[in-house]
Amino acid sequence: MSMPAYQCSLFAVAFGVCAAGGLALAGEWERERDAMGLYKEPVCDFGFRVKSALTNIAKQHSTGVKATTAQWEMEVFNNPDSKSWTLVGKSKAPDASPNKLCRLSGGQQSPYDEQPWFKEYFGMK
C-alpha cells in the first residue's frame, strides 16, 4: 500500500526516507551508527514536523521515557503494534536551534530498552 503524497512529503522532510510508491525503510535501518547504536549523522527538522511524522505516519507515540546527557535531551517514541521505535533528541549545543528535534536512532528488530544507548543513558546498565 503506498503512502499519500502529502504524508510521504512530510515523512521525507522529517526523515529523508520516502521513495516512489511508499517507504524505503531498508535504507533507514542501514544508516551508519556509532558503538552506542546512535546515528552518526542524525536527521533534524522542526520538532513539530518530527513529532507529527512519528505520530501520524509511523504511529509511534511518546513512551514518557526521557533522559538528558551533556549533548542531548532525549525521548523515546514507539509503536507497540509494529514494535518500531525512535529515539529523538534536542541538541544542547550553544548554537543549536531550540525548535529542532533530531532522530538519533530507530529500529524495529529488537526492543528499544535492549539498545546500548538505552542502557547507558537511561540508567539501565
Side-chain angles (χ1 to χ4, degrees), residues 78-118:
N78 83 325
N79 178 331
D81 296 329
S82 71
K83 308 289 190 244
S84 66
W85 53 266
T86 303
L87 176 65
V88 296
K90 189 177 288 190
S91 175
K92 292 174 67 178
D95 61 340
S97 169
N99 299 320
K100 296 285 178 121
L101 195 60
C102 301
R103 189 163 189 272
L104 304 177
S105 191
Q108 196 166 9
Q109 303 302 319
S110 60
Y112 66 84
D113 58 359
E114 293 179 6
Q115 303 305 309
W117 53 261
F118 186 84

Side-chain angles (χ1 to χ4, degrees), residues 9-16 42-53 72 88-91 97-104:
S9 297
L10 177 63
F11 200 76
V13 167
F15 304 121
V43 175
C44 303
D45 201 345
F46 289 103
F48 74 91
R49 287 183 185 159
V50 174
K51 287 182 178 181
S52 178
W72 299 99
V88 296
K90 189 177 288 190
S91 175
S97 169
N99 299 320
K100 296 285 178 121
L101 195 60
C102 301
R103 189 163 189 272
L104 304 177

Side-chain angles (χ1 to χ4, degrees), residues 19-47:
L23 294 176
L25 290 177
E28 180 64 14
W29 310 129
E30 296 170 7
R31 291 181 53 203
E32 191 174 0
R33 299 175 190 249
D34 65 15
M36 295 300 288
L38 301 175
Y39 296 135
K40 288 189 175 184
E41 295 182 22
V43 175
C44 303
D45 201 345
F46 289 103

Side-chain angles (χ1 to χ4, degrees), residues 2-13 18 23 53 56-57 59:
S2 69
M3 177 181 292
Y6 75 92
Q7 286 185 333
C8 189
S9 297
L10 177 63
F11 200 76
V13 167
C18 275
L23 294 176
N56 298 317
I57 298 169
K59 305 299 183 205

